[in-house]
Structure formats: structure tokens, C-alpha cells
Amino acid sequence: MIPALYAPRVEKLRSAMRAAGADLFLCDHAEMLHWLTGYTVSETFYRGCILPLEGDPVWVLRAIDEVPCRAATWVRDVVVYADHEDAHACMADILRRFGSVRIGADFTSFGFTAFTRDRLSALLPGTDWVNLHEISNRIRSVKDAHEINLVAQAAQIADGAMAAIAQGIAPEMRARDASAIAAQHYLTHGADDYWVGPISIARRAAQAEGHGMGFLHATFTEDRLAPGDILHVELVPRVGYYAARFMRSISLGQASAEDTAIMARIAALQDAQFAAIRPGVAARDADAILREAMLSEGLRESYPNITGYQLGSYAKTPRSSETMVSLHPGADWRFEQGQVFHLYTTARGLALSETVEITADGCRRLTRTDRRILVAAG
């Protein structure tokens, strides 16, 4: 029997399979594996779960991962192979159990590479592969109450970690010292791991001409903080694989009147975006509220990036953000109740963002730190 938490997810996927004419679905996307089965693992060797339209699913993975898989998943049929065996051949053997069928897969999944497609096609001649395009991310867009609760727990940890950094950072410390403060807070307050997020000295980090966003994803340097510096902090803690994210700027000493005014205006413009978001609103319209105001007021010279993207679970994959469902001028989707987003903006070396939940009435912040430049107590 499928547990109550997973039954709606399985039926949602099976509905998509029926619509596409697929008899089986080969799930090899790390985050979708967790969403669908309760377990995920990095692709050291090829692995995945086979879901038929009727009957029980089958997990296929390396033998060393069998015990943690069985401990976490509701799927009873777990087939394993030794590391010296051919993982794709093992998967093909299990797929043959289901006879001559149309096999659905997400061709945009990091697991379903061109090599995997070609190898399985060679092992299963005559198989008709059905592309359920981008389903691994889009099907998980609307979160259930369990998922939102995990994001909310992560948001609480993020708020606490930001406060700990603001309290503990001081001149002569480095960005990595701020990261160490956050990592300790993460681990002692229930986060999955110590992956903190990008932290940099904003106006000494690499700056991209025109939009000044080089500090957002800058790597650590050994530069020491000095009075008057702005520390950029983005925190990304996970609980049960589900992440919250938010950004603040922390001033070493009292922030200048100019910076304080810029941040207040950024917050007001983003608040207007938040106020406009509710179920049914077009994503491109919500994006335009912030984007056009930032440009028209001269806070940005250009705006090449998105203004938000959906949040969810994050496993060990090449991608650290889910940008298939994101806010930009060409976004052709509408907000739905139960979605969770990281909405963000930056200007002149300052950054502001929140984790938000789309409710029946609008847009609710899950991160609660004051929306201003924070001042380092150190």
C-alpha cells in the first residue's frame, strides 16, 4: 500500500503518464526520486526507480546503498547490483519484467543523459521512449503541507544563522569566518548539513559591468573586513532536503545614509511585488512590477537575471537552483497556492530576498529577518 503522504504524488505522476501514453516511468532525477519514493542518492553509478501505471514500483541501485534506501523508502522492491556490474544492464533487466511497453522519461533529467538513453535503447531494442519534458521539476511545483513545513523549519534556521553572523562578525574577520558561524548554527539547530551559501565582501568582490551582481556568487578570498564594508550573505539551509533561502547585507559599522535609503527603496519595490502575488497572477506580470521599477528609478542599469525561482528539495546534482519555474519577462505560467519561491533583487552592492509561500490570499514570508541593512554587532 502506498503511504498517504506519497499516494497523491504517485497518482499525479501516473496521470501525466496516461496523458503522454507511457506505460512506465523511469525516474532518475535526484530530487524527484526523493519526492516520489522518500529516498535519493547521488549518481555515482546509474540508479533510478521504475513506476508502472499499475502495480508496484521498483528501485534499482548499487548494493552499498541498499540499507539506507530500504530505511527511507516506502518502495518494497529494491534491486541492487555490485559495483563491478553494469548498472544500465541491471536497469534494462528490470525494465524487461514489464514486457514490451512505452517507457516515459524526463529527457531534461541530469540522470537521463544521451549515454543513458542510447545505452538503454541498445539493451532494449524496439523500445518506444516517451519524453515527459521537464516533468521532474514542474510536477513538484505545488508543495503539500509536509513539504512546506520542512521549508518553514529551514527558514527558521536561516533567520537564526543570519542573526548569529550579524552578532559575531567584526573587522579583521573574513567572509569564510561568517560562513563558519552559519555552519555551526545550521548543524546545531537541525539543518541537514553545513552547506552555507554564498558570502562575500560585496563591493570588493568581482563586479560585472552594468548590473553590479558580481558579489552574489563570488568565491571566498582571504580579504579582511574593515569598517564601512558591506558583507553579502545568502543562506540556504536544508531540512529533510527542503531548502529555504534569503539574502541580507550586513554593514561593518553604521550603514551610510545613501545605502540605508537604497535598501529602503529596494524593500518597498519588492514589497509591491509581494503584494501583487496571489494564485492566478501571471508570473511575468509579478516580475515586471519589480524589474521595471528598479530600472526606471535608476537602481539598476540592466536586469539580465530572474527575480525569483521555485524552491523545493535539493540533492547532490549539478544544479543548485530550480530555474525552470522562475520569474522573468517571458514566464508564461501563473502562481498556484502551495508554491514556494526564493524572490530576490539586488542593486549597488546590496541584496534583499525572502523565501515565500503562495497562499490562498497572497504571498507569505517564511523568512522573518528585518528587511533592512543589518549592522554587525562586533
Side-chain angles (χ1 to χ4, degrees):
M1 179 179 294
I2 304 174
L5 178 64
Y6 294 96
R9 303 179 188 182
V10 171
E11 181 50 38
K12 191 174 185 179
L13 177 54
R14 282 176 167 163
S15 293
M17 291 165 60
R18 284 189 285 268
D23 304 300
L24 299 176
F25 183 76
L26 175 56
C27 180
D28 55 12
H29 182 284
E31 287 82 9
M32 191 177 182
L33 282 167
H34 179 252
W35 178 83
L36 181 65
T37 76
Y39 178 73
T40 189
V41 66
S42 62
E43 195 183 346
T44 305
F45 294 86
Y46 187 68
R47 78 289 178 267
C49 183
I50 302 164
L51 178 72
L53 275 176
E54 297 182 0
D56 295 330
V58 183
W59 245 110
V60 180
L61 75 171
R62 61 195 296 226
I64 196 171
D65 295 319
E66 178 180 7
V67 171
C69 179
R70 290 189 182 277
T73 188
W74 58 270
V75 177
R76 290 170 294 183
D77 193 354
V78 178
V79 176
V80 302
Y81 54 83
D83 286 355
H84 67 273
E85 295 181 290
D86 185 331
H88 288 93
C90 182
M91 183 67 77
D93 287 343
I94 305 306
L95 288 167
R96 288 192 195 95
R97 285 188 188 177
F98 298 91
S100 180
V101 294
R102 286 166 54 86
I103 303 175
D106 181 353
F107 287 16
T108 63
S109 166
F110 287 114
F112 200 76
T113 63
F115 176 80
T116 290
R117 178 200 62 203
D118 293 347
R119 179 77 174 121
L120 290 176
S121 295
L123 292 165
L124 301 165
T127 296
D128 188 4
W129 291 96
V130 181
N131 181 15
L132 277 71
H133 184 63
E134 295 185 346
I135 192 172
S136 300
N137 286 299
R138 295 190 181 275
I139 199 171
R140 298 180 296 110
S141 178
V142 174
K143 307 294 187 288
D144 57 38
H146 175 75
E147 293 175 289
I148 291 173
N149 180 57
L150 291 173
V151 176
Q153 291 180 51
Q156 187 174 19
I157 292 171
D159 282 326
M162 188 69 75
I165 293 173
Q167 179 64 34
I169 201 70
E172 294 304 316
M173 297 175 73
R174 303 159 298 175
R176 69 169 63 250
D177 297 317
S179 187
I181 292 170
Q184 182 178 28
H185 186 91
Y186 282 15
L187 294 174
T188 56
H189 288 81
D192 291 352
D193 54 34
Y194 47 82
W195 178 40
V196 170
I199 298 180
S200 63
I201 304 174
R203 288 171 181 150
R204 278 192 265 157
Q207 299 259 340
E209 183 65 28
H211 51 68
M213 295 187 300
F215 68 92
L216 280 178
H217 294 159
T219 55
F220 284 143
T221 70
E222 293 305 307
D223 289 349
R224 302 280 173 171
L225 285 158
D229 277 338
I230 297 289
L231 185 69
H232 165 69
V233 180
E234 179 179 359
L235 301 180
V236 297
R238 300 182 306 158
V239 174
Y241 287 98
Y242 283 82
R245 297 184 173 187
F246 85 119
M247 301 189 295
R248 289 293 185 273
S249 298
I250 302 177
S251 177
L252 275 291
Q254 190 61 43
S256 69
E258 180 183 10
D259 283 343
T260 300
I262 291 171
M263 179 60 80
R265 192 58 190 149
I266 291 172
L269 296 179
Q270 191 178 57
D271 284 342
Q273 182 188 50
F274 292 174
I277 294 174
R278 60 181 54 84
V281 169
R284 61 164 63 94
D285 293 342
D287 173 81
I289 290 170
L290 177 64
R291 182 184 302 274
E292 293 177 5
M294 294 282 284
L295 291 170
S296 67
E297 295 194 14
L299 291 168
R300 295 277 294 263
E301 295 178 22
S302 65
Y303 215 127
N305 59 300
I306 58 181
T307 63
Y309 54 87
Q310 81 168 348
L311 290 175
S313 62
Y314 292 91
K316 294 179 179 178
T317 67
R319 178 177 55 214
S320 60
S321 300
E322 294 181 19
T323 55
M324 287 182 182
V325 182
S326 57
L327 283 71
H328 55 82
D332 59 358
W333 54 272
R334 294 180 180 273
F335 289 96
E336 297 180 66
Q337 183 177 350
Q339 290 179 310
V340 178
F341 289 91
H342 180 215
L343 300 181
Y344 73 102
T345 191
T346 63
R348 303 185 188 178
L350 302 174
L352 186 67
S353 76
E354 308 290 354
T355 292
V356 303
E357 172 196 0
I358 310 307
T359 68
D361 300 322
C363 177
R364 180 172 78 99
R365 282 175 54 200
L366 297 180
T367 42
R368 305 299 302 169
T369 297
D370 289 347
R371 289 169 57 74
R372 58 179 173 83
I373 297 176
L374 307 180
V375 179

